[in-house]
Amino acid sequence: MKEIDAAKFREIVKRGMEHLFQDRELLNRINVFPVADGDTGDNLVHTLKPVYDGIDAHGETRLDDLAARLAQTMLLSAKGNSGVIFSQFFFAFAQALQGRATIGPADFSLAMEKAVRETYAAVADPREGTILTVLRHTADEFKRLALSGERYQVIFEKAIIKAKEILEKTRDMLPQMKKARVVDAGGLGFFLFFKGMAAAVNGRGGDAGSAAFDQAPQVVEPSSLTYCAEWVVRPRRDREFFKDLLKGRGDSLLIAGDAGLFHLHLHTDDPDGAEAEIARHGEIQSRKVDSLRPAPGSASPLDVALLIDSAVDIPEATERSSDVGIVPLQILLNDRYARDRIEIAKEELYRRMRAEKDLVVKTSQPAPRDFKTAFEAALARKRQVLFFSLSSRLSGSFQGALAALRLLSAADQARIRIIDTLNVSAGSGLLFCGALQLLQQGLDPEQAAGAIERRRAHVVSLGYVESLEYAVRGGRLPPLAGAVTRLLGIRPLVAFVDGRLVRKGALLSSRHKEKKVVRRFLKRLDLRRSHSVAVVYTDNPQAALRLADELAKSPLKVSSLYQTVGAAVLGAHAGPGTFCLFALPDAEAGE
């Protein structure tokens, strides 16, 4: 093989991801650097799964077009230290392919060299003995072989040998790995990915070849910091400025991307303080904050696969679980469909809605093949499946799931339970979390589903809509409605009641809007009871932080709280600037 084109690149990247996915749990198990939080495999799967799910969605005939799309998806979905490094390497590699419909070995090696150089530059404190070292030595060997005139088949085969050699040496290159006697988990992730690529180049199958690295850590040191925080930002300053800005606020600082879009990663005790500084110098598109300390008494793995459609918003950490799968709704952007969260991220949708004044956004239920594929994949992993759908009174998603169910055998149908949440976004998400808790307590899926269906009417919500313009564009409201609210400066308030969207008044001014919404929200709750609460926002994370602050100062007893970017089906009609509060009272005896 002398050249790699778009079709071949698609094939080898898919094979690379498949090899890595096989060893997700091994990567979690050996994860000790930069902190031993056991999630490297989860983070890499979270980073790569949207790329894998959408890699065949478009028919790019040029290598550079395909690589650019995959790189953008990966940058938005990147998670954790290794995931952000991985996305930066791929992003810089894709940039080096600009202008190329195909690429030969020598130029491929130069693209790898550029990607390594820019990945080192993205890390505030690059450490040898990590994924960086494996990337650099693999790229150096690839370049040596390419410039000597070898063909791709030979180059990949020999570069894999070099990658394995240097990966073995990471056992002794950092104190954490030396004490634990394991290789770097991120480095192993890249090795598995590259080995899969090599198998595709040489037309072979085979396993990922990771058995030699499967060893339980001997010593595990907990993190001295509390949170792993990440932000996707449209910056107004360069990378070095943000490095200097955040260096004193924690460690493991990474800044992937370029001047148009940064993905920032930081381990810190003060994510809110760091975010306030970031917001002064860039527009925050999304945020993720996870604990670096394992929760006490973690539940054992479930024998139930949990599925949601993409209109259901659950906590980020829960969404990353191998027990959870997502069936994507269809997003129509003018005249082109994209699968929600796979072909377009929620954050990217809201950015485009702000930027493209003529953009018309509509949504429709998941395609039947997506339901059927998700059900079959879940049944292959677990004995039983619970699927949580957004309200049947808002979408055909629930009916589509039932139709797909009928395409399966009677035996398989009996293993699947479909739940109409009669809610959307985090309203459905709170019910999902309640079901998960019941399953972890030992209830069987049918019992958990029944309990949740009895409680779905207890969800209380209140949302703030900045403008009706987007509902008018999407055909949900007549133009007159948008004109009147715009003329009067009215900000509508909405809620989901009995499975439907209803008006709940309006604000006459956006001043102190978070405080006003929380005050009205509390009037709808029984403050004698504790509640699980979720804060949902579109492109306004600062509003979410202010809402959380207002809730903390209120008399509401909050048993759990999560914040998340709102589902596209919510934001497509409510638009950017929207936020919503959801609450579910904790179950009492007999409920």
Side-chain angles (χ1 to χ4, degrees):
M1 184 195 309
K2 294 181 179 179
E3 296 279 326
I4 288 177
D5 59 10
K8 191 63 180 179
F9 189 71
R10 183 180 280 108
E11 177 191 345
I12 66 177
V13 170
K14 281 180 69 175
R15 184 73 66 81
M17 291 187 285
E18 288 166 356
H19 266 56
L20 187 152
F21 293 163
Q22 289 177 30
D23 280 304
R24 173 182 188 156
E25 293 306 323
L26 168 59
L27 296 173
N28 287 339
R29 193 158 56 249
I30 67 169
N31 169 207
V32 298
F33 182 86
V35 293
D37 49 354
D39 63 359
T40 292
D42 291 344
N43 288 341
L44 287 172
V45 171
H46 187 283
T47 299
L48 296 173
K49 192 64 164 59
V51 179
Y52 184 82
D53 289 341
I55 196 168
D56 294 322
H58 304 291
E60 292 97 342
T61 57
R62 290 182 58 90
L63 173 64
D64 53 357
D65 291 340
L66 174 63
R69 177 170 66 87
L70 301 183
Q72 183 76 4
T73 301
M74 195 182 300
L75 188 66
L76 291 170
S77 63
K79 183 68 179 173
N81 192 75
S82 294
V84 176
I85 289 177
F86 211 103
S87 71
Q88 170 59 35
F89 178 83
F90 199 93
F91 188 85
F93 181 83
Q95 285 187 319
L97 301 185
Q98 289 179 4
R100 295 187 174 276
T102 66
I103 192 169
D107 288 330
F108 195 104
S109 74
L110 295 176
M112 288 185 69
E113 183 178 56
K114 168 184 167 64
V116 168
R117 185 170 60 250
E118 296 196 11
T119 303
Y120 268 82
V123 182
D125 181 23
R127 306 284 295 277
E128 296 301 337
T130 66
I131 184 176
L132 294 173
T133 305
V134 181
L135 288 171
R136 179 166 59 83
H137 281 269
T138 304
D140 287 348
E141 180 69 358
F142 200 106
K143 181 179 178 181
R144 183 186 71 79
L145 294 164
L147 297 184
S148 69
E150 296 284 6
R151 294 196 174 197
Y152 273 122
Q153 289 89 336
V154 174
I155 296 171
F156 271 95
E157 200 70 27
K158 292 186 177 180
I160 279 296
I161 296 172
K162 173 59 72 174
K164 186 173 182 180
E165 288 176 359
I166 196 64
L167 180 62
E168 285 282 8
K169 291 180 180 179
T170 63
R171 294 183 196 272
D172 299 309
M173 296 177 73
L174 280 171
Q176 292 94 326
M177 262 80 86
K178 200 164 188 175
K179 289 180 181 178
R181 300 306 304 151
V182 294
V183 301
D184 178 65
L188 177 56
F190 175 76
F191 169 77
L192 296 171
F193 180 82
F194 197 71
K195 195 170 191 296
M197 292 178 69
V201 166
N202 287 284
R204 293 199 308 267
D207 60 42
S210 59
F213 306 106
D214 191 353
Q215 180 177 341
Q218 302 301 301
V219 178
V220 175
E221 298 178 356
S223 172
S224 61
L225 297 168
T226 309
Y227 300 104
C228 173
E230 297 178 43
W231 301 268
V232 174
V233 180
R234 296 202 171 274
R236 292 189 289 272
R237 305 296 293 267
D238 63 18
R239 176 183 282 147
E240 293 306 313
F241 175 87
F242 279 96
K243 279 187 184 178
D244 292 340
L245 183 72
L246 297 174
K247 268 185 178 177
R249 290 188 169 272
D251 62 25
S252 298
L253 173 60
L254 309 169
I255 306 177
D258 61 11
L261 191 72
F262 283 156
H263 190 128
L264 285 75
H265 172 281
L266 180 70
H267 289 173
T268 180
D269 286 326
D270 182 22
D272 292 344
E275 182 163 311
E277 289 297 315
I278 293 167
R280 291 173 54 208
H281 304 286
E283 180 185 348
I284 296 174
Q285 304 292 297
S286 68
R287 73 191 294 262
K288 302 172 187 173
V289 179
D290 291 324
S291 174
L292 288 171
R293 296 170 185 173
S298 298
S300 59
L302 299 174
D303 198 21
V304 182
L306 304 173
L307 296 178
I308 59 175
D309 64 36
S310 62
V312 177
D313 289 317
I314 61 178
E316 284 278 349
T318 306
E319 187 175 314
R320 294 200 313 272
S321 166
S322 59
D323 291 329
V324 179
I326 301 177
V327 185
L329 273 76
Q330 303 287 312
I331 309 296
L332 180 63
L333 305 168
N334 289 337
D335 59 352
R336 184 174 181 179
Y337 275 103
R339 288 188 293 168
D340 185 21
R341 304 200 201 184
I342 293 176
E343 293 163 9
I344 184 166
K346 294 185 285 187
E347 296 85 355
E348 177 64 11
L349 172 66
Y350 301 134
R351 184 195 69 78
R352 289 188 58 183
M353 291 177 76
R354 286 279 194 198
E356 301 175 30
K357 297 306 179 185
D358 59 346
L359 184 67
V360 175
V361 183
K362 298 182 180 181
T363 61
S364 66
Q365 67 192 58
R369 62 178 172 84
D370 289 332
F371 277 122
K372 188 170 183 290
T373 299
F375 288 159
E376 290 172 339
L379 289 171
R381 293 185 292 109
K382 302 286 184 175
R383 286 194 306 155
Q384 292 177 282
V385 178
L386 285 183
F387 172 68
F388 296 76
S389 168
L390 85 157
S391 174
S392 61
R393 294 164 187 170
L394 294 172
S395 164
S397 179
F398 177 72
Q399 295 300 328
L402 291 177
L405 184 65
R406 289 192 287 270
L407 299 176
L408 303 177
S409 69
D412 283 345
Q413 290 182 38
R415 297 165 59 196
I416 299 174
R417 179 69 147 79
I418 298 176
I419 300 172
D420 180 359
T421 66
L422 292 180
N423 278 273
V424 72
S425 184
S428 303
L430 290 172
L431 293 169
F432 173 97
C433 292
L436 178 58
Q437 187 175 36
L438 293 174
L439 292 169
Q440 290 171 339
Q441 291 171 357
L443 269 68
D444 66 40
E446 190 61 38
Q447 291 172 321
I452 290 306
E453 287 174 340
R454 290 190 294 273
R455 304 198 66 231
R456 56 193 173 187
H458 296 181
V459 176
V460 176
S461 61
L462 188 63
Y464 167 91
V465 180
E466 186 176 273
S467 169
L468 294 181
E469 172 189 354
Y470 303 96
V472 171
R473 283 194 214 172
R476 294 279 176 144
L477 290 175
L480 181 61
V484 170
T485 55
R486 187 165 54 249
L487 179 65
L488 299 178
I490 293 172
R491 274 74 174 182
L493 298 180
V494 298
F496 297 94
V497 178
D498 195 25
R500 294 182 174 88
L501 181 66
V502 299
R503 288 284 299 273
K504 284 291 181 180
L507 298 183
L508 300 180
S509 165
S510 62
R511 182 176 173 81
H512 303 307
K513 55 185 179 291
E514 295 87 3
K515 181 179 293 187
K516 295 173 184 175
V517 169
V518 168
R519 187 164 61 241
R520 295 195 187 197
F521 183 62
L522 294 177
K523 290 179 180 179
R524 306 188 62 213
L525 303 178
D526 181 354
L527 297 182
R528 296 169 299 178
R529 300 181 63 173
S530 60
H531 290 72
S532 296
V533 178
V535 178
V536 171
Y537 58 96
T538 53
D539 62 342
N540 46 350
Q542 291 302 320
L545 292 175
R546 287 191 287 271
L547 288 166
D549 287 343
E550 291 296 330
L551 289 169
K553 292 185 290 186
S554 79
L556 178 64
K557 292 178 283 187
V558 178
S559 56
S560 68
L561 183 145
Y562 68 92
Q563 300 179 23
T564 184
V565 178
V569 73
L570 175 71
H573 306 298
T578 295
F579 59 78
C580 197
L581 292 168
F582 295 88
L584 177 64
D586 294 342
E588 294 182 339
E591 288 189 345

